[in-house]
Structures are given as C-alpha cells and as structure tokens.
C-alpha cells in the first residue's frame, strides 16, 4: 500500500461525494495503491450515510464513526491508528485542500526522505479577521517556541512517513501542532510545500474565535510538556528553592537585626521585608510541592508511550 488518506470530518455531507471522486481520480491516474479513511467525528447530518454508500461502491475506502463529536485531533488519531500506507496524507473534507497535491507530497516523503511535509496555504481563502491574521500570530509563536521552521502549522493537508503517525499521540486540540509533536518524537526532517487552497464551497467553518485562545494555551502546554513534562521537579523545584532562599534570606536578616543589632527598632510587622519574606517562602513551598506532585504523576503513568524506536533488529 502506497498511500493512506486520512480525512476527519464533521457535518460535511455536501462535499463528501465530490471529494471522494476527486481523490479517486488522482489516485488512479497516478497508479497508486491507496486507502481512503473517512472519520466521521459525530456528524448530525447525513455524512455517515454518504460514507456508507461510498464504502459499498469502493473497496479502498474505510470509515470510522465516532459516537459523538470528539474533535478533529481525536479523529486524526483514530485514522492514524488503522492506517497502513507507506505514506499517510491528511486532508480536510471541505474541499479547501486540493487532492492534486498528493502525488508531489508523496514524492517528497519517498524520494527526498522527509519525515513529514506540511502544506503551506500561501494564498489563503478564508476570512481575513477571524482566520488569516490570528493564524499569522499563531504561526509566529509556534515557530519561536518550537524552533520548527514552518509558515503554516495548521494546514489540513500534510504528508507523513507511516512511522511518524504511529509514534505521535494527537489529542485534545493538538492537531494544530502536529509538526511540533513530530519533532518532539524525534522526527526532525520536516519540510514544507506551498499548496493550493480554495474557499469553503459548502457548509461553514467548525472553528470559531475561541480557537485563538485555545490555540495559544495549547502552545504553552506543548512547549512546557516537551521540556519539563517528564521532569517537572527540574522547573518547579528550582523555582521553589530559589523563591524560598530569597524569603529565608530576608527572614534571617530581620531576625539578626531584631535580636542583635537593633532590638528596640520598629516592630517586625511594620517592616516591608517581613512581608516579602513571608510571601516568598509560601510561594516557594507551593512551587516545590507542585514539582513534587508532578513527579509522582509522571511516575504513575506506566503505560504511556515515552520513546520512539528508530530501528529494531532480530526481534
Ligand atoms: N472537523 C472535525 N471535527 C471537528 C471540527 C472539524 O473532524 O470537531 C473537520 C472538518 O469537517 C474539516 C476539518 O476538520 O474536514 C477542518 O475543519 P474546518 O474546515 O471547519 O476548519 P478551517 O478550514 O475553517 O480551519
Ligand atoms: Mg476548512
């Protein structure tokens, strides 16, 4: 199998037949062995009926249906789990991504040995205020924090080596940062290809203004987890000890001053250093405890994927 095409969708009944026909024609004219994996993320329209109909007529199409809307990340994850093609391509179901790009993406992975190639919607057909400008900010922040040099992290159209999708866990709303997940899993050859983008033909976008806040919070999470997720004590413990030492220093100074140098001076509670010392020691202890609890949690997650194997011999 050359290609698995993974398509998450929510209420895209008008687009599915057209999308499917288009992909099949591209696959056939390039003589690919392929599968199309459609993941219905809890649609309430007729999307699933259309998928069933497509599967009846086409051997190469597979479908997964979620019980309710779990989100694009979960849908992608479910598709990645069953994909078997050497190259896995993701795309949106709304006809905004162009299937004609797939052969070139395939080549970049197979011949130029990229781990993943992300589409870049250089000329974008979405609303300026709610999409294009916020996404410029996202992409800038994601580039800065992750050091992955991409212009467009959240393009629906991407291609991966099979082992990449098998070794990353896309959950929550992390589909926006799949290139960062890949890099954190050790797949560092990440490329970019300018792709054609169309305006949404049917239906409307599923991601509103809240994606602005959620996306930036996720970015903080992902860069934090990548760095300290497996060793929270190194961050919180250090901060905690640092704060505590500052607080303790002030307390020591006040104590010596009161006992030996200036016993008849101002009351301790009238001196600003007293409050600095108190808060710093309390916050320091809190930080330290946060690190400690974090460590306990990390250690109790036994069955989680924590490494990526690059080769195996003689198993
Ligand atoms: N989608 C999904 N689950 C969701 C939201 C969206 O599977 O909860 C799918 C949607 O059907 C589409 C793709 O994710 O195929 C991208 O969504 P959309 O086109 O609304 O995003 P935009 O292009 O506006 O960023
Ligand atoms: Mg779209």
């Amino acid at each position: 199998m050359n290609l698995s095409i993974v398509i998450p969708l929510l209420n895209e009944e008008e687009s599915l037949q057209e999308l499917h026909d288009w992909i099949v024609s591209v696959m056939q004219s390039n003589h690919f062995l392929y599968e199309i994996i459609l993941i219905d993320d809890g649609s309430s329209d007729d999307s699933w009926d259309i998928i069933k109909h497509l599967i009846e007529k086409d051997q190469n199409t597979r479908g997964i249906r979620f019980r309710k809307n779990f989100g694009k990340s979960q849908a992608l994850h479910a598709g990645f789990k069953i994909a078997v093609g050497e190259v896995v391509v993701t795309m949106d179901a709304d006809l905004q991504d162009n299937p004609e790009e797939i052969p070139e993406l395939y080549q970049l992975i197979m011949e130029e040995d990229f781990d993943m190639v992300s589409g870049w919607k250089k000329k974008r057909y979405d609303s300026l205020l709610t999409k294009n400008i916020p996404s410029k900010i996202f992409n800038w922040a994601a580039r800065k924090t992750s050091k992955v040099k991409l212009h467009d992290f959240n393009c629906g159209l991407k291609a991966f080596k099979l082992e990449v999708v098998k070794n990353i866990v896309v959950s929550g709303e992390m589909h926006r940062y799949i290139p960062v997940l890949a890099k954190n899993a050790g797949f560092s050859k990440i490329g970019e290809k300018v792709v054609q983008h169309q305006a949404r033909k049917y239906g409307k976008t599923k991601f509103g203004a809240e994606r602005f806040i959620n996306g930036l919070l996720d970015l903080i999470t992902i860069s934090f987890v990548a760095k300290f997720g497996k060793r929270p004590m190194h961050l919180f413990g250090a901060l905690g000890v640092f704060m505590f030492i500052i607080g303790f220093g002030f307390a020591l100074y006040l104590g010596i001053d009161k006992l030996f140098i200036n016993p008849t001076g101002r009351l301790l509670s009238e001196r600003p250093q007293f409050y600095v010392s108190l808060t710093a020691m309390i916050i320091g202890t809190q930080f330290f405890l946060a690190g400690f609890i974090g460590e306990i949690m990390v250690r109790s997650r036994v069955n989680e994927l924590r490494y990526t194997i690059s080769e195996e011999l003689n198993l």
Side-chain angles (χ1 to χ4, degrees):
M1 177 89 64
N2 304 124
L3 268 165
S4 296
I5 300 172
V6 175
I7 306 173
L9 61 111
L10 174 65
N11 298 335
E12 309 280 5
E13 57 182 2
E14 303 100 327
S15 312
L16 288 174
Q17 182 73 53
E18 194 174 330
L19 177 75
H20 189 264
D21 292 347
W22 197 1
I23 296 174
V24 169
S25 86
V26 173
M27 292 298 114
Q28 286 176 346
S29 57
N30 287 276
H31 308 289
F32 282 129
L33 294 172
Y34 69 98
E35 60 177 354
I36 300 173
I37 304 174
L38 296 163
I39 306 103
D40 178 355
D41 183 12
S43 296
S44 52
D45 65 359
D46 287 335
S47 294
W48 185 248
D49 290 330
I50 296 167
I51 291 173
K52 280 199 292 199
H53 171 76
L54 292 174
I55 291 173
E56 250 166 53
K57 300 222 299 214
D58 175 17
Q59 287 273 315
N60 299 316
T61 301
R62 308 164 77 187
I64 298 175
R65 183 190 197 184
F66 282 176
R67 272 188 185 276
K68 66 174 202 46
N69 176 228
F70 283 101
K72 186 178 179 185
S73 295
Q74 281 64 22
L76 284 171
H77 187 264
F80 289 165
K81 225 164 133 182
I82 64 163
V84 293
E86 288 170 291
V87 172
V88 178
V89 169
T90 62
M91 62 189 294
D92 290 352
D94 54 3
L95 296 167
Q96 289 196 275
D97 298 327
N98 187 336
E100 318 269 353
E101 305 279 357
I102 295 174
E104 258 186 75
L105 288 169
Y106 177 81
Q107 265 186 359
L108 283 169
I109 301 278
M110 295 305 287
E111 277 156 35
E112 312 220 353
D113 201 35
F114 280 101
D115 293 319
M116 80 168 273
V117 177
S118 181
W120 173 14
K121 308 180 290 271
K122 197 167 180 181
K123 181 136 184 47
R124 195 173 168 175
Y125 296 87
D126 279 318
S127 124
L128 197 69
L129 210 61
T130 61
K131 286 263 151 121
N132 295 10
I133 294 172
S135 101
K136 286 230 156 61
I137 301 175
F138 273 140
N139 285 312
W140 174 83
R143 262 196 309 277
K144 285 288 163 218
T145 50
S146 69
K147 306 273 186 300
V148 177
K149 300 268 173 289
L150 288 180
H151 290 88
D152 187 3
F153 282 76
N154 190 20
C155 182
L157 188 57
K158 292 189 168 67
F160 306 85
K161 275 188 188 148
L162 184 64
E163 61 163 330
V164 176
V165 305
K166 298 292 183 191
N167 281 300
I168 57 177
V169 180
V170 192
S171 64
E173 289 190 19
M174 288 299 177
H175 61 268
R176 298 199 178 92
Y177 302 115
I178 294 180
V180 186
L181 295 177
K183 186 194 163 207
N184 290 346
F187 299 101
S188 53
K189 194 156 184 225
I190 298 176
E192 179 166 63
K193 176 187 183 307
V194 175
V195 294
Q196 296 267 347
H197 187 241
Q198 279 92 237
R200 204 179 228 285
K201 205 163 167 186
Y202 309 101
K204 53 179 195 290
T205 176
K206 310 298 183 302
F207 296 104
E210 74 282 358
R211 59 187 222 121
F212 193 43
I213 300 163
N214 296 348
L216 286 176
L217 288 174
D218 282 345
L219 187 59
I220 297 174
T221 309
I222 202 172
S223 48
F224 171 80
V225 170
K227 223 166 164 180
F228 295 107
K230 292 181 183 74
R231 48 188 188 103
M233 197 56 161
H234 287 188
L235 177 69
F236 291 112
L239 270 174
V241 169
F242 177 69
M243 292 291 280
F244 193 87
I245 288 175
I246 291 180
F248 191 76
F250 275 109
L252 201 67
Y253 159 75
L254 286 175
I256 292 172
D257 190 56
K258 190 79 197 164
L259 287 176
F260 306 112
I261 301 174
N262 200 1
T264 55
R266 280 185 296 167
L267 284 177
L268 276 186
S269 60
E270 280 171 352
R271 307 184 62 175
Q273 294 93 331
F274 176 72
Y275 296 98
V276 174
S277 143
L278 213 61
T279 25
M281 284 200 286
I282 292 173
I283 295 175
T285 317
Q286 302 263 21
F287 270 137
F288 198 85
L289 280 177
F292 194 59
I293 293 171
E295 287 291 333
I296 292 173
M297 291 174 73
V298 169
R299 267 148 236 263
S300 60
R301 283 191 317 218
V302 268
N303 292 323
E304 218 194 26
L305 189 70
R306 288 194 207 171
Y307 49 79
T308 320
I309 296 169
S310 95
E311 257 180 276
E312 284 180 337
L313 292 170
N314 242 348
L315 279 194

